[in-house]
Amino acid sequence: MSAADDLHDAAADEMIVGCLDLAKPRSFFLYAGAGSGKTRSLVEAIRKVCERQGRDLSLSGQKIGVITYTNAACDEIKQRLEFDPRVEVSTIHAFAWSLISGYDNDIRGWLAGRLLQDIAELEEAQAKGRAGSKAAVDRARSIESKQHRYESLGSIIRFVYSPTGDNRTRDSLSHAEVIAMTADFLAGKPGLRRLLVTRFPLLLIDESQDTSRQLMDVLLDVEAVHRERFCLGLFGDMMQSIYADGKERLAEAIPEAWARPHKRMNHRCPTRVVELINRVREDGDGEQQLPRSDAVAGTVRLFVAPQGANKPETEAAVARRMREVTGDVAWIEDSDATKILALEHMMSARRFGFDAFFGPLYAVERIRTSLLQGAGAGIGFYTREVLPLIEALRASDRFAIASIVRKTSPLLDRKSLEEAGEDQASVLAAAKAACDGLLELVSGDAVPTAREVLRYIAEKRLFTIPDVLMPFVAPDAPGEEGAAGDEEEEPNPKTELGGWRQALEASLDEIARYDRYIQGASSFDTHQGVKGLEFPRVMVIVSDEEARGFMFSYDKLFGARGKSETDLRNEAAGKETSIDRTRRLFYVTCSRAERGLAVVYYTDAVEAARAVVAKQGWFSDEEIEIIE
């Protein structure tokens, strides 16, 4: 290891430590590209502050706040800091809840206003829509569910929330509600702002580019008002922004008074990969990194293949070719030694057979992020209750069955058992019968749809149905379908109601495959799942035809297609384009490679694509190969 390389960004680290001064805090935005040791800088800066001013923190009862994006990152930072009690590390949802928990009257008022607004919007759409259509039926049921929740607010004494749970009971809040509520409370309640600044005079946010724009905007406002006694430290890289609800162009919103330390060294990637990712972001923000002096040269290849090729065979051939080129025998097809990354989720959904479930929900922007995280009450109902119970039933695991049902089923909650009195055996028998019926439903020749399973569970009261799924519990009555023909009003696919109606027609097996994908258990991984990770061998799969989305385009990124009118309008307005989004995902995936990188580019015009990619200059002529 080169000592000079390790110290190359020492000035940036010292600047961060200087900003974290309780007596004279200064906010900062750290640019830290891929493999630059961002988390290491964060941890070392906190250690130095605790060494110098830890006693002051302890005496005042104050803490250094650290917000991370995932529970895994949260645990890693806590361990590196040896669980220092002067540092509070949490995810954004846990942090938000720590600020507003206990303000039950304010929460009740906020929820009442939000529910009345939602009901009014649904009633307005209902008045304009076609009576008796599927969309009208969904809206009517949603209005009923929201009205019921609104009327029950007065009976809730204390609201509850779990950052890692599905929050489905009547007294619980959803993940989205907690974030929106915290942002609104911080914006409108000066007392809460003062509490935040007093409790956390130093607040550091990791992966700040993906932090909810609602919260980021209000935290920037808090910093502007309390700048003399509050440091807001943002760690991140805009080129690694991958969630749609993060703040666009965050770097441009940073005030002039802030410090802007930069970390230039890439400690992960070989020289050739650093050259490539520098070229990728050259037309983006122009930021450039340096490879370590002791970095290996590394190998990069772009394989261009026809769109109609047999994908598994093509990718196996690419692995064999990389073994020949690199001499690395670990490049073996179907091997865990090679990390295969799909850049667009719909491509993975189609490859692994869960697109009928995933596609409709992915099209709804307001729930897209929670879908990609496997979060939300509707998703959790299936992945954390229904599927585990079915797995236990199929394995005849009586202990697991009893554990799952006792934990969340209303059949065996305290109220049901108390009402049964001495006849609790009948309650247990009903629960067993409900479980047996579920096993029978999923064991037939035809795989049931997600909606059929939902209706059965609702009928038997096996689990509590989350509000988002309540409109689909009852079967559509014969007269509810509306008249056939062009006048039929279909559910709006861009709304949560419309997305769920379509998604629930998918088979239950699709949800199981979706869950394995999101958990990283499939052969492909997500760009969200690998951010911050590194692998010796990386194969990146690029295919616009498989992705079939409007959000990304690799043909445009590589120059095989021109910009669309929408891209040109967004570019002129200073907004994000499909090329911007595609560039970021390509950067994130390519920058995972420690030694070898293979990019497989499927296209309809192989020779033409090869020519435009060569002209673009990201890959040399020798690095571009055609795979027939």
Side-chain angles (χ1 to χ4, degrees):
M1 300 291 285
S2 168
D5 289 336
D6 292 335
L7 297 174
H8 184 275
D9 291 323
D13 291 335
E14 284 301 317
M15 183 182 292
I16 294 169
V17 174
C19 290
L20 300 177
D21 184 346
L22 293 172
K24 193 176 180 181
R26 184 185 182 191
S27 296
F28 63 89
F29 178 84
L30 169 70
Y31 158 73
S36 60
K38 168 174 55 67
T39 303
R40 176 185 171 188
S41 292
L42 186 151
V43 169
E44 290 302 316
I46 293 174
R47 281 178 178 159
K48 289 184 178 180
V49 172
C50 288
E51 289 172 4
R52 298 175 185 178
Q53 299 179 299
R55 187 169 183 273
D56 295 334
L57 285 169
S58 298
L59 290 174
S60 65
Q62 295 177 310
K63 293 188 177 185
I64 299 173
V66 180
I67 298 174
T68 66
Y69 209 90
T70 66
N71 289 307
C74 185
D75 292 341
E76 179 186 354
I77 293 173
K78 286 180 181 178
Q79 289 172 5
R80 289 199 197 184
L81 291 170
E82 299 177 339
F83 300 94
D84 193 318
R86 296 163 296 189
V87 186
E88 186 167 313
V89 188
S90 58
T91 62
I92 188 66
H93 290 91
F95 176 80
W97 181 238
S98 74
L99 293 180
I100 67 173
S101 174
Y103 291 92
D104 296 294
N105 288 333
D106 293 306
I107 291 172
R108 185 178 294 104
W110 188 93
L111 278 176
R114 178 62 66 93
L115 287 167
L116 288 175
Q117 179 182 340
D118 290 347
I119 291 169
E121 291 174 357
L122 286 166
E123 288 178 338
E124 181 181 358
Q126 194 76 318
K128 296 178 179 178
R130 178 176 172 80
S133 65
K134 287 184 288 187
V137 171
D138 292 347
R139 285 192 296 263
R141 291 172 178 168
S142 185
I143 290 170
E144 181 182 2
S145 176
K146 290 179 182 295
Q147 187 68 43
H148 181 64
R149 188 184 184 196
Y150 172 78
E151 292 169 354
S152 70
L153 289 177
S155 63
I156 298 174
I157 298 174
R158 189 171 187 83
F159 290 91
V160 298
Y161 170 71
S162 168
T164 57
D166 296 318
N167 303 294
R168 294 216 317 272
T169 57
R170 284 288 172 184
D171 57 353
S172 67
L173 305 170
S174 72
H175 302 300
E177 286 170 344
V178 166
I179 294 296
M181 199 180 304
T182 303
D184 285 350
F185 286 3
L186 280 173
K189 298 181 184 297
L192 187 61
R193 291 180 175 220
R194 289 192 294 271
L195 176 65
L196 166 63
V197 171
T198 301
R199 187 189 297 178
F200 302 107
L202 308 176
L203 181 60
L204 311 178
I205 303 180
D206 196 14
E207 305 292 2
S208 58
Q209 72 277 357
D210 280 324
T211 301
S212 161
R213 69 173 66 91
Q214 292 174 284
L215 270 181
M216 184 56 69
D217 283 336
V218 76
L219 287 173
L220 290 172
D221 289 342
V222 170
E223 190 277 338
V225 174
H226 298 280
R227 185 164 293 168
E228 298 301 317
R229 60 192 188 101
F230 178 61
C231 166
L232 181 61
L234 306 183
F235 292 71
D237 175 14
M238 294 309 296
M239 190 58 68
Q240 297 188 69
S241 174
I242 54 179
Y243 287 113
D245 57 354
K247 182 173 176 60
E248 287 186 24
R249 306 187 186 281
L250 173 60
E252 298 174 15
I254 301 303
E256 289 294 327
W258 285 33
R260 292 173 178 261
H262 273 57
K263 290 178 70 69
R264 302 287 187 185
M265 182 65 62
N266 185 315
H267 297 273
R268 173 194 301 149
C269 300
T271 301
R272 180 63 190 96
V273 172
V274 173
E275 292 173 357
L276 173 63
I277 61 178
N278 280 343
R279 293 297 302 273
V280 169
R281 72 184 302 164
E282 196 170 41
D283 294 331
D285 57 15
E287 295 282 1
Q288 301 287 283
Q289 289 185 292
L290 298 171
R292 291 182 61 88
S293 60
D294 54 1
V296 298
T299 303
V300 169
R301 287 291 187 276
L302 174 70
F303 297 92
V304 186
Q307 194 62 254
N310 182 299
K311 303 295 194 299
E313 289 182 5
T314 298
E315 288 147 30
V318 166
R320 291 193 296 271
R321 177 59 181 151
M322 287 298 291
R323 188 169 64 223
E324 294 174 8
V325 170
T326 63
D328 183 353
V329 295
W331 274 101
I332 304 173
E333 58 269 28
D334 299 325
S335 168
D336 291 338
T338 300
K339 195 65 177 178
I340 302 177
L341 304 180
L343 280 87
E344 214 286 328
H345 293 286
M346 282 307 300
M347 186 173 81
S348 298
R350 291 188 175 94
R351 283 188 172 220
F352 300 118
F354 59 89
D355 52 307
F357 172 74
F358 182 85
L361 298 178
Y362 190 58
V364 183
E365 184 174 357
R366 64 176 290 185
I367 62 173
R368 188 176 295 144
T369 296
S370 61
L371 176 71
L372 297 178
Q373 295 171 336
I379 297 294
F381 169 77
Y382 287 102
T383 61
R384 285 184 280 281
E385 290 189 342
V386 177
L387 292 176
L389 178 57
I390 291 173
E391 182 180 357
L393 288 168
R394 286 171 170 163
S396 299
D397 187 338
R398 291 186 296 175
F399 178 81
I401 295 167
S403 176
I404 294 167
V405 177
R406 283 174 182 167
K407 183 178 179 181
T408 57
S409 176
L411 289 176
L412 297 183
D413 62 16
R414 179 180 298 178
K415 182 179 178 182
S416 297
L417 293 173
E418 287 176 351
E419 290 177 350
E422 296 181 359
D423 192 23
Q424 291 186 2
S426 63
V427 175
L428 296 173
K432 183 180 185 304
C435 289
D436 291 343
L438 178 61
L439 179 60
E440 183 180 352
L441 175 63
V442 300
S443 300
D445 293 335
V447 178
T449 66
R451 190 174 184 187
E452 288 170 341
V453 173
L454 173 69
R455 289 173 182 167
Y456 174 84
I457 289 174
E459 178 189 348
K460 302 298 183 182
R461 296 181 60 245
L462 190 51
F463 293 121
T464 301
I465 307 300
D467 287 344
V468 70
L469 299 180
M470 282 300 294
F472 313 104
V473 163
D476 294 328
E480 288 181 338
E481 292 292 335
D486 295 338
E487 295 183 358
E488 162 69 356
E489 182 198 4
E490 291 295 326
N492 184 347
K494 299 299 182 183
T495 66
E496 195 167 359
L497 271 176
W500 271 111
R501 174 176 270 277
Q502 292 184 48
L504 291 175
E505 296 308 315
S507 73
L508 189 67
D509 286 356
E510 289 209 20
I511 303 182
R513 288 191 285 269
Y514 152 81
D515 188 43
R516 288 196 294 272
Y517 171 71
I518 292 299
Q519 299 303 322
S522 69
S523 56
F524 274 37
D525 211 332
T526 69
H527 46 270
Q528 282 93 351
V530 300
K531 192 168 66 168
L533 302 180
E534 52 200 34
F535 312 95
R537 291 154 291 278
V538 172
M539 185 185 299
V540 177
I541 310 298
V542 174
S543 173
D544 282 350
E545 193 277 338
E546 283 188 86
R548 298 181 202 167
F550 63 92
M551 295 181 63
F552 309 99
S553 174
Y554 292 92
D555 284 341
K556 292 179 185 177
L557 180 66
F558 292 147
R561 283 178 57 199
K563 298 177 181 177
S564 67
E565 292 184 8
T566 301
D567 287 327
L568 292 172
R569 284 196 302 270
N570 287 338
E571 191 175 65
K575 296 181 179 179
E576 183 179 73
T577 68
S578 62
I579 299 175
D580 294 331
R581 288 188 291 268
T582 310
R583 185 190 310 278
R584 290 201 305 269
L585 299 193
F586 193 61
Y587 176 90
V588 168
T589 48
C590 290
S591 61
R592 302 306 98 194
E594 295 176 296
R595 279 185 283 176
L597 171 67
V599 179
V600 185
Y601 175 26
Y602 292 105
T603 178
D604 289 326
V606 172
E607 291 293 346
R610 186 193 192 289
V612 295
V613 171
K615 184 178 180 181
Q616 184 187 47
W618 290 2
F619 303 89
S620 68
D621 287 340
E622 297 75 26
E623 292 175 331
I624 305 173
E625 299 186 20
I626 292 178
I627 298 286
E628 295 293 349

